[in-house]
Amino acid sequence: MTQDGTPAQAGLENLLHESRSFPPSPEFAAQANAQPALYEAAAADRLGFWADQARDLLTWRKPFTETLDWSGAPVARWFADGTLNAAYNAVDRHVAEGRGDRVAIHFEGEPGDTRTLTYSDLLREVSRAANALAALGVSTGDRVVIYLPMIPEAVIAMLACARLGAPHSVVFGGFSADALRSRIADAEAKVVITADGGFRRGAPSALKPAVDEALVPRDGVESPVAHVLVVRRTGQDTAMAEGRDVWWHDALESADVTHEPVWVEAEHPLFILYTSGTTGKPKGILHTTGGYLTQTAYTHKYVFDLKAESDVYWCTADIGWVTGHSYVTYGPLINGATQVIYEGTPDSPHQGRWWEIIEKYKVTILYTAPTAIRTCMKWGEDIPATFDLSTLRVLGSVGEPINPEAWMWYRRVVGGDRTPIVDTWWQTETGAIMISPLPGVTAAKPGSAQVPLPGIVADVVDDEFRSVPDGGGGYLVLSEPWPAMLRGIWGDLERFKDTYWSRFPGVYFAGDGAKKDDDGDIWLLGRVDDVMNVSGHRLSTTEIESALVSHDAVAEAAVVGATDETTGQAVVAFVILRSDHAEALGTTDEDEIIQILRNHVGKEIGPIAKPKRILVVAELPKTRSGKIMRRLLRDVAENRAVGDATTLADSSVMDLIAKGLSK
Ligand code: WTA
């Protein structure tokens, strides 16, 4: 259901007729980290359960005595009087406890170059990077923006910041210079860590020029950034600003290989990650240290059944997204896992690249997104069939609802009809997995995230905040605070309260619609607000609309997420051009105009936000109060008969749009 009452993804209604169920095999259940007793322990004493996890999974410098302080709700304080360091937990202690020779990262570059980093290697690199950052003036509390491809330095940079207690803010490498600029400004970052470029689809793709552009003073305001640390990855020609830019390898070469981590309080900010909301301005989601690390480590251990000594884990997410934070950098390293990091796209240089990587590194746990699975389905199952995937034992899915067909394909073709699948629901805001089957315990249902994890309390409620009965649908809420929950929106407490805590007083409103089936299991139905989910990436309709109207040729724009077979949703924009648009665009050719506007959105936000379709229209459907009726536009975008249009101020508008499109 969306705000205006339609299912965000029409096909999802079919989910509720899905009745297949896959219980764990007795062999898997017997060896699983998660046993039914985990639910019982959490139910018996929820806070005690979390305190146990925090003590078991993390090494504290100073032990905490209080588990949760909710007196400042909705800003939680977890384990607040304890102190620790995230990098120490992710790296140093493994070395100190004799696990230094274990491989932390198998890196596979897109061109085929490889690197292996043990935990000892990681400790040396992270320590040097922390010293290098300190030499550039970064100290505890300073913000550092990271804008890197998926190379080991991305993880090293994050941990080096954490080591100093300097919150990082990773900006996805696919975002534009403008998007980077606004995030740097909002976080008031002192240093940016970037690279000359990365390899993408067989060619080097530059990153540094976007940083240069983002740092140019605008409207008389100087950039807060004093230094840029540049990793050499592609060897492209790179302009270096004297006195400002420093090569990473130069800075690290002269840096000491030891560094004393800064012990911070559990509530010390670990990172800010910007994500799309329902307004044009991205929100800086703030996460702190102790609670976040506890829950990422806990979920990584139990949801993926991680056996650190023997598993080879691979999460395909980019560190630019929260999944890369929690399930590439923090969760796996805290748990001492061995993982694969791959730089490029699944089809470079051939469509079997992922399966080849799984065979090569004998990957046992794979965590990816439904959109990737659907893409591989389209390419055909004979491609994975030529590789040995028999090492796989757990498969995970995240980012959007997974349709049962994709789930079944994932299990049969990738998992050899044998592996459990965990469909994990969570958000940038929740910090870690919240709702998911536990392999070895839960009988999995294709398409359902099913049950809140032990220690998590969630519900589905109706408009009046009544818990819906089994079989009913409504809104997903999280009823009790959880350790990895966001602690706010950077610099905007009011927006934090407003966005998440005002729809239903006292509980967290996730923005997702959901249903309970007859067993009480939860099925996610997509966003109920103006947030779209394209290939598992969150995009805001309003943000793309503002990007479109920022072009001189555009008078008005409305953006909807239309159901798309591969990407889940696709961005479809309706624009009204200004009467003098020919002047601004230098053309009247509609195809050219559409191309110009698509590129404009790419420049304003990033290529991922480019509308798949742009439809030039004469009018937009609006209610009498002036609100655009996106529901009707979605009908058009999805080639459906247009629904009830009686609340339109001018009921002839839809005919006009339809006529215009059939021209
Ligand atoms: C959606 C990604 C259904 C949901 C970790 C949520 C899902 C948004 C699932 C958060 C899932 C994520 N089933 N929907 N397993 N996982 N979502 O912040 O709409 O990028 O609100 O975090 O993705 O996206 P975000």
Side-chain angles (χ1 to χ4, degrees), residues 275 321-323 397-402 423-429 449 510-512 524 526-527 533 536-538:
T275 187
W321 310 105
V322 74
T323 308
S397 170
V398 63
E400 52 178 317
I402 178 165
D423 174 7
T424 63
W425 179 90
W426 59 295
Q427 307 177 298
T428 306
E429 291 86 342
D512 279 40
L524 277 309
R527 304 286 308 190
N533 192 327
H537 298 155
R538 263 165 81 165

Side-chain angles (χ1 to χ4, degrees), residues 256-271:
D256 199 74
V257 295
T258 59
H259 177 270
E260 173 67 13
V262 175
W263 305 105
V264 298
E265 291 180 349
E267 284 301 334
H268 187 78
L270 180 62
F271 66 87

